[in-house]
């Protein structure tokens, strides 16, 4: 018997099994799967201390619905999305002429008797007058009094909402493609810059209301600096991780620009009884923003324990929370400015 004939049938099943194994090992990964840092394309490799739970090359629809999935951008999306909803609610509250949410709640709760005293009178008009909160009556009585213009306050609210919404969109859809990733990063940087610019409008406008030339100097200066920052960050090269420190320096320089008008405002309003309250709010805002920037640059805490903070607790999430808290502190200061100018005009 020819040995070559015997060897062929025996070898064929072995080759078939090996071929089948190779087919199984080369099968494509499941669609919309989470990948590790090493599997990312180069343009998405931003934080080497976040090791897993990345999205890459996801279709727009899947990226949108990933807002309800756990990945390393989930909390980045929700922290600023909830911040946007919060500021949208605050804006609507002021637009309907209710200064504080507590006033709106009181308007409805006062209709329900809290004790038997309300039933003493049988006069319907008396019931109605008891149901209306005193602060709303005061608003009605003071409606004829000229109130200070609100547009600088709404400029700040609009800038804050634009920043928070653009950040939300960026973190949600930047996993789609390289082109969209770069475009959304620039939108995110433009949103941060816009928020910084518009934050200057309420304090500078209301503090220097009686000296309008300073409006042009300070608001013009921060606007020009902000537009230069946006134009600089539109460069694709400056959107890379290599220039992360440079971007932080640009944002910090804009924030530090406020030291000059801040000192000037403290001198002008040194005898103002609201001075200490507004300074406390503004110092809190500055601390929140600067601390957030330090987390953003230093990559703490994930730097010390790579992989431990992939889903929750990494530096960018902390940065997002501190940005919202800083914006809320500035919102509190703006309310003090409004109340002061409503009572003391030039």
């Amino acid at each position: 018997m020819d040995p070559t004939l015997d060897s062929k049938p025996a070898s064929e099943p072995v080759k078939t099994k090996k071929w089948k194994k190779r087919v199984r090992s080369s099968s494509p990964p499941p669609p919309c799967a989470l990948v590790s840092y090493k599997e990312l394309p180069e343009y998405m490799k931003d934080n080497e201390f976040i090791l897993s739970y990345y999205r890459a090359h996801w279709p727009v629809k899947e990226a949108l619905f990933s807002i309800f999935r756990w990945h390393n951008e989930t909390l980045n999306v929700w922290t600023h999305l909830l911040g946007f909803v919060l500021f949208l609610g605050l804006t609507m509250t002021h637009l309907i002429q209710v200064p504080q949410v507590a006033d709106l709640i009181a308007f409805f709760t006062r209709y329900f008797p809290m004790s038997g005293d309300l039933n003493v009178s049988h006069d319907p008009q008396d019931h109605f007058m008891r149901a209306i909160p005193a602060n709303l009556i005061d608003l009605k009585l003071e409606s004829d009094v000229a109130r200070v213009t609100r547009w600088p306050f709404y400029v700040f609210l609009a800038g804050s909402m634009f920043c928070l919404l653009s950040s939300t969109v960026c973190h949600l859809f930047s996993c789609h493609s390289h082109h969209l990733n770069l475009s959304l990063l620039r939108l995110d940087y433009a949103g941060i810059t816009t928020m910084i610019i518009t934050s200057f409008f309420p304090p500078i406008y209301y503090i220097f209301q009686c000296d309008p030339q300073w409006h042009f100097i300070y608001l013009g200066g921060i606007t020009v600096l902000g537009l230069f920052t946006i134009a600089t960050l539109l460069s694709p090269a400056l959107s890379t991780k290599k220039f992360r420190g440079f971007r932080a320096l640009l944002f910090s320089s804009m924030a530090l620009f406020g030291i000059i008008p801040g000192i000037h405002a403290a001198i002008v309003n040194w005898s103002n009884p609201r001075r200490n309250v507004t300074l406390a709010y503004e110092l809190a805002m500055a601390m929140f923003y600067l601390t957030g920037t330090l987390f953003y640059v230093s990559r703490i805490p994930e730097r010390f324990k790579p992989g431990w903070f992939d889903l929750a607790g990494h530096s960018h999430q902390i940065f997002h929370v501190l940005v919202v808290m800083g914006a809320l502190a500035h919102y509190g200061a703006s309310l003090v400015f409004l109340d002061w100018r409503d009572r003391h005009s030039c």
Side-chain angles (χ1 to χ4, degrees):
M1 183 180 289
D2 188 354
T4 58
L5 296 176
D6 294 337
S7 62
K8 286 181 180 179
S11 62
E12 285 178 358
V14 177
K15 290 182 179 179
T16 304
K17 291 179 181 178
K18 289 182 179 180
W19 181 79
K20 288 181 179 178
K21 288 182 180 179
R22 283 196 294 267
V23 171
R24 291 192 190 101
S25 62
S26 62
S27 59
C32 299
L34 299 178
V35 299
S36 67
Y37 180 84
K38 294 180 180 179
E39 298 173 285
L40 288 175
E42 284 299 321
Y43 71 88
M44 293 187 68
K45 291 184 176 181
D46 179 64
N47 190 341
E48 64 273 20
F49 305 112
I50 304 296
L51 304 184
S52 56
Y53 301 104
Y54 286 93
R55 300 164 301 151
H57 299 145
W58 282 31
V60 172
K61 181 180 178 181
E62 279 71 17
L64 173 63
F65 286 106
S66 71
I67 192 174
F68 302 112
R69 289 184 56 178
W70 269 111
H71 46 81
N72 57 27
E73 294 281 17
T74 301
L75 293 183
N76 284 334
V77 172
W78 278 101
T79 47
H80 273 186
L81 178 60
L82 293 176
F84 167 77
V85 173
L86 173 61
F87 272 84
L88 179 62
L90 293 174
T91 303
M92 296 304 298
T93 299
H94 286 279
L95 286 174
I96 61 175
Q97 302 301 316
V98 180
Q100 297 178 358
V101 177
D103 294 340
L104 186 61
I105 297 174
F107 179 79
F108 291 104
T109 57
R110 293 287 181 93
Y111 280 105
F112 300 96
M114 303 302 291
S115 66
D117 295 339
L118 190 62
N119 297 323
V120 174
S121 174
H122 298 284
D123 185 0
Q125 184 177 2
D126 183 57
H127 280 264
F128 179 74
M129 294 304 293
R130 287 174 179 266
I132 299 178
N135 48 11
L136 292 183
I137 296 175
D138 293 340
L139 286 175
K140 183 177 180 181
L141 293 175
E142 295 177 1
S143 59
D144 295 333
V145 178
R147 302 172 70 199
V148 69
T149 180
R150 257 55 177 171
W151 71 262
F153 178 61
Y154 290 119
V155 165
F156 158 66
L157 292 176
S160 299
M161 287 188 291
F162 175 68
C163 172
L164 297 171
L165 185 60
S166 62
S167 174
T168 300
V169 172
C170 176
H171 285 282
L172 187 59
F173 293 104
S174 59
C175 64
H176 173 64
S177 62
H178 189 190
H179 174 72
L180 187 60
N181 181 280
L182 286 177
S183 300
L184 292 178
L185 280 176
R186 296 171 195 166
L187 177 66
D188 192 15
Y189 300 147
I192 297 172
T193 308
T194 301
M195 186 178 188
I196 295 174
I197 295 173
T198 56
S199 295
F200 281 81
F201 276 73
I204 289 179
Y205 185 89
Y206 296 125
I207 290 175
F208 298 104
Q209 183 174 348
C210 303
D211 299 297
Q213 69 272 13
W214 295 111
H215 296 171
F216 176 80
I217 296 174
Y218 291 137
L219 293 181
I222 189 59
T223 302
V224 170
L225 181 59
L227 293 176
F228 169 77
T229 302
I230 292 176
T232 303
L233 295 175
L234 288 179
S235 170
L238 295 178
S239 300
T240 61
K241 64 178 181 179
K242 179 181 178 181
F243 292 94
R244 186 183 188 88
F246 176 72
R247 294 193 299 267
L249 178 62
L250 284 176
F251 297 140
S252 299
S253 64
M254 293 181 62
L256 293 174
F257 176 86
I259 294 176
I260 300 173
I263 295 174
H264 187 178
I267 295 173
V268 171
N269 296 278
W270 191 256
S271 59
N272 191 326
R274 303 290 185 92
R275 180 198 65 203
N276 292 339
V277 177
T278 55
L279 281 178
Y281 275 120
E282 299 292 25
L283 286 175
M285 178 197 70
M287 290 302 298
F288 285 135
Y289 285 160
L290 290 176
T291 305
T293 303
L294 290 176
F295 276 101
Y296 175 83
V297 174
S298 64
R299 308 289 181 85
I300 295 173
E302 66 268 18
R303 173 182 294 275
F304 302 122
K305 289 287 186 179
W308 282 39
F309 303 96
D310 289 357
L311 289 176
H314 60 253
S315 57
H316 207 97
Q317 295 168 357
I318 298 172
F319 168 66
H320 274 203
V321 173
L322 291 173
V323 166
V324 175
M325 293 177 68
L328 285 174
H330 194 60
Y331 168 79
S334 299
L335 290 182
V336 176
F337 289 131
L338 282 173
D339 181 70
W340 170 54
R341 275 305 177 192
D342 282 339
R343 299 173 185 272
H344 303 89
S345 59
C346 294

